[in-house]
Amino acid sequence: MGERKHKHVRVAVIGSGFGGLGAAVRLRRQGITDFVVLERADSVGGTWRDNTYPGCACDVPSHLYSFSFAPNAEWPRNFSGQPHIRSYLEHVTDTFGLRPHLRFQSEVQSMRWSNEELWWEIETASGPLTADVVVSATGPLSDPKIPAIPGLDTFPGKVFHSAQWDHDYDLTGKRVAMIGTGASAIQIVPAIQPDVEQLTLFQRTPAWVLPRADRKISAAEKWLHAKVPATRAARRGLLWGLRELQVSAFTKRPNELGMIEFLGRNHMKRAVKDPQLRAKLTPDYRIGCKRILLSNAYYPALAEPNVDVVASGLKEVRGNTLIGSDGSETEVDAVVFGTGFHVTDMPIAHRVTGAHGMTLAEEWKDGMESLRGASAAHFPNFLTIIGPNTGLGNSSMILMIEAQLNYLCDYMRQLDVLGDRIALSARPAAVQEWTRTIQRRMQRTVWNTGGCDSWYLDANGRNTTAWPGTTAEFKKVTRQVDLAEYEVLRRPAAAPSTEPTAGAAGTGIDDSTEVAA
Ligand code: NAP
């Protein structure tokens, strides 16, 4: 590929969700315009574009679940719905002049590091290109997971995943099975329950569900936030600070979370009067071990006469009949899988081949690990946004994304200082040391000790997704790239001719840019 004419960019960003768009904004603000954002679909938004299921909303308050550099005084609710979040991301794209960088229908099919050229050779659905640096912002919630259920192919009715909602299929009057009790399922259940004839919830593990303090944001508040930006900042600061104070209970003193369980049980008691149903819905693990869910509508929906909870997983399908692990049989017309995503087995990892000729999936066969959540060993100039151990249990992922973007910006600065034809490769010893520290700290967290299985843990039972600290700490440890943790790779002088891509000129970004969604 080095011999042929190809597009070359300084940076290729993969994905145009919060991570990819955030990277694009920060690159431009740093004066880097020679970059593209490769997107497999035909619009931006990532998981907030794909998830359109009824009731889809964010369970993190919008004033915190948004970019610090793109505040939005117009958020309609404390917890805004998917259409508003998607529209916010479209506005970020326009406001920050990102359109010229977007390459839609450009799914990355494979990527290989060239040890000779010190660049990434990328094959995409819209053609090949090379890039000095790749920012992988594919996100952990991008590839839906449907469990391999024996006989599923014999089911004659409709089957779809929560992230691939079929809006042409009308659930009205149908017998529907909802599989799963995660954050997606608990939003779907109350949204579809009034319309369906019968709803059967397959609950392998009951969730801890707390009240959701949702309300409309009043016109007066919006006016104040628009006219006096300090009020908006104060609101965000308060939302952030309250969550930071909770972190030590998750990471160091899980027993303190017992008090919250009382709230959860009470929340259920108020809506579910049937003691048998309450017993089915009561979790037997520490709250916080799995992601805590927020809903005022979930328990009331489960108490409705057209809803049945099967307290077991879906084991098998025989024609129209769904067989639970408890042996129960339920006839349905449609099956909705709320069974989550490929979080710990990141699909892009199979497509990326590093400096040692192995794929990232092979490198990570014993579990994902990257220096400061960003750099895997043997994958030079390849940075992940929402990489290993950057997930949160109780706060906004946008804070973690922005910390990783700080790291990206410093990485680009370091490359500039080092000069042309340079790449950085994380030292395996530094990656291992970082991972050892994380895993040591993980030992006492609620995710590891709370007595549950969750998507925080990989197939080996190792927590490769969560960050065992505060967002402030993560921000601090990702403020700067420590060059001692990297090997500096240098390329010989001559380089083949390349055809530069058109980049948008100038940064033109104002820190206080307002984005109305
Ligand atoms: P999820 O949290 O991974 O939940 C998957 C569910 O499927 C679990 O309840 C799991 O049971 C169940 N399951 C898997 N196989 C099953 C089987 N054979 N039979 C019955 N149940 C089965 O997926 P999700 O709800 O889509 O959430 C994914 C991610 O998106 C999470 O990070 C979530 O927090 C995030 N999300 C966030 C929001 C938000 O408001 N910010 C909204 C939606 C989703 P077990 O518990 O027994 O494994």
Side-chain angles (χ1 to χ4, degrees):
M1 194 162 155
E3 293 303 311
R4 71 174 178 242
K5 271 199 146 204
H6 57 266
K7 301 272 185 203
H8 181 81
V9 287
R10 180 130 190 253
V11 185
V13 178
I14 311 175
S16 68
F18 266 100
L21 294 179
V25 171
R26 293 294 305 273
L27 287 171
R28 282 184 58 93
R29 288 176 67 172
Q30 193 148 314
I32 297 170
T33 54
D34 181 17
F35 71 89
V36 291
V37 179
L38 304 170
E39 169 55 57
R40 65 183 174 187
D42 54 12
S43 61
V44 302
T47 200
W48 293 107
R49 173 201 58 226
D50 294 343
N51 283 271
T52 60
Y53 60 76
C56 184
C58 186
D59 57 13
V60 178
S62 301
H63 277 279
L64 191 60
Y65 197 82
S66 41
F67 289 123
S68 62
F69 52 76
N72 174 23
E74 293 299 317
W75 285 119
R77 305 190 67 84
N78 277 355
F79 298 95
S80 300
Q82 175 267 342
H84 287 105
I85 301 170
R86 183 176 182 190
S87 141
Y88 168 80
L89 289 173
E90 290 282 353
H91 280 271
V92 166
T93 306
D94 289 329
T95 309
F96 291 91
L98 307 183
R99 299 258 172 227
H101 301 279
L102 297 172
R103 302 288 178 268
F104 292 127
Q105 305 289 351
S106 296
E107 177 163 4
V108 171
Q109 293 158 335
S110 66
M111 269 176 51
R112 176 173 286 276
W113 176 253
S114 164
N115 288 313
E116 295 74 41
E117 305 295 349
L118 298 193
W119 65 30
W120 284 98
E121 297 172 346
I122 309 169
E123 297 289 342
T124 79
S126 65
L129 75 153
T130 54
D132 294 334
V133 175
V134 166
V135 179
S136 178
T138 55
L141 308 180
S142 48
D143 286 285
K145 189 159 84 181
I146 292 190
I149 305 285
L152 185 57
D153 53 341
T154 68
F155 184 71
K158 188 74 188 172
V159 176
F160 53 86
H161 187 276
S162 57
Q164 293 164 333
W165 198 270
D166 186 345
H167 291 277
D168 293 333
Y169 182 79
D170 188 2
L171 291 173
T172 309
K174 301 279 186 347
R175 297 167 301 170
V176 180
M178 176 81 231
I179 317 298
T181 50
S184 302
I186 70 137
Q187 293 180 339
I188 293 168
V189 164
I192 64 171
Q193 173 273 323
D195 299 329
V196 303
E197 182 192 311
Q198 179 69 29
L199 179 60
T200 305
L201 177 67
F202 281 81
Q203 170 198 268
R204 195 164 65 182
T205 315
W208 280 108
V209 184
L210 293 180
R212 190 165 188 253
D214 192 19
R215 65 169 178 83
K216 261 174 114 169
I217 295 178
S218 69
E221 284 171 284
K222 288 184 200 166
W223 181 87
L224 199 63
H225 289 337
K227 299 293 174 203
V228 190
T231 61
R232 205 179 48 211
R235 184 176 191 141
R236 184 178 171 98
L238 189 65
L239 290 168
W240 168 75
L242 286 173
R243 282 163 180 74
E244 289 290 270
L245 291 175
Q246 298 161 3
V247 169
S248 69
F250 285 82
T251 57
K252 293 180 188 157
R253 290 180 286 280
N255 283 344
E256 287 178 3
L257 293 164
M259 290 182 283
I260 318 285
E261 289 175 5
F262 175 75
L263 290 179
R265 273 193 291 268
N266 252 358
H267 185 48
M268 187 202 307
K269 243 186 222 167
R270 274 197 298 274
V272 181
K273 301 298 172 203
D274 172 4
Q276 274 185 339
L277 180 56
R278 273 215 303 266
K280 273 189 200 174
L281 298 175
T282 304
D284 63 355
Y285 56 88
R286 177 103 298 167
I287 193 169
C289 182
K290 284 172 178 286
R291 194 183 161 117
I292 299 174
L293 307 181
L294 306 180
S295 174
N296 300 334
Y298 178 63
Y299 287 136
L302 295 186
E304 289 294 328
N306 68 335
V307 180
D308 186 29
V309 177
V310 172
S312 85
L314 172 62
K315 196 180 87 177
E316 196 187 334
V317 177
R318 284 187 216 136
N320 263 113
T321 307
L322 271 50
I323 319 286
S325 305
D326 59 356
S328 63
E329 299 193 3
T330 312
E331 263 198 27
V332 296
D333 305 308
V335 183
V336 179
F337 281 97
T339 42
F341 300 85
H342 289 275
V343 177
T344 53
D345 51 343
M346 213 185 262
I348 186 98
H350 292 277
R351 303 179 183 192
V352 185
T353 303
H356 53 353
M358 278 161 60
T359 65
L360 191 53
E362 286 164 341
E363 174 70 24
W364 282 350
K365 68 179 186 330
D366 297 324
M368 303 189 292
E369 52 183 41
S370 290
L371 177 61
R372 294 173 199 273
S375 303
H378 312 295
F379 291 78
N381 283 5
F382 177 84
L383 297 162
T384 40
I385 306 293
I386 314 191
N389 292 109
T390 59
L392 294 175
N394 76 324
S395 192
S396 170
M397 275 311 292
I398 313 307
L399 301 167
M400 301 299 274
I401 288 174
E402 286 201 40
Q404 294 216 278
L405 297 179
N406 291 341
Y407 195 76
L408 164 67
C409 287
D410 195 54
Y411 194 99
M412 297 307 296
R413 266 191 295 270
Q414 301 274 8
L415 285 180
D416 277 344
V417 170
L418 287 166
D420 213 9
R421 302 187 172 123
I422 296 288
L424 295 175
S425 186
R427 292 182 186 279
V431 177
Q432 283 156 16
E433 179 52 28
W434 174 260
T435 307
R436 251 196 310 273
T437 308
I438 297 258
Q439 292 304 325
R440 202 168 40 237
R441 285 177 55 169
M442 206 60 86
Q443 292 313 311
R444 47 184 183 156
T445 66
V446 68
W447 310 302
N448 283 40
T449 64
C452 77
D453 190 12
S454 75
W455 54 260
Y456 293 124
L457 311 177
D458 66 14
N460 306 315
R462 199 160 75 132
N463 190 331
T464 56
T465 55
W467 165 246
T470 60
T471 64
E473 188 194 354
F474 189 71
K475 189 173 174 185
K476 193 165 155 224
V477 298
T478 50
R479 204 182 296 281
Q480 279 183 332
V481 170
D482 178 358
L483 277 187
E485 294 178 333
Y486 287 89
E487 193 182 340
V488 177
L489 310 178
R490 291 172 198 281
R491 192 165 49 148
S497 71
T498 60
E499 184 188 296
T501 46
T507 59
I509 307 301
D510 170 6
D511 275 16
S512 60
T513 307
E514 181 75 22
V515 179

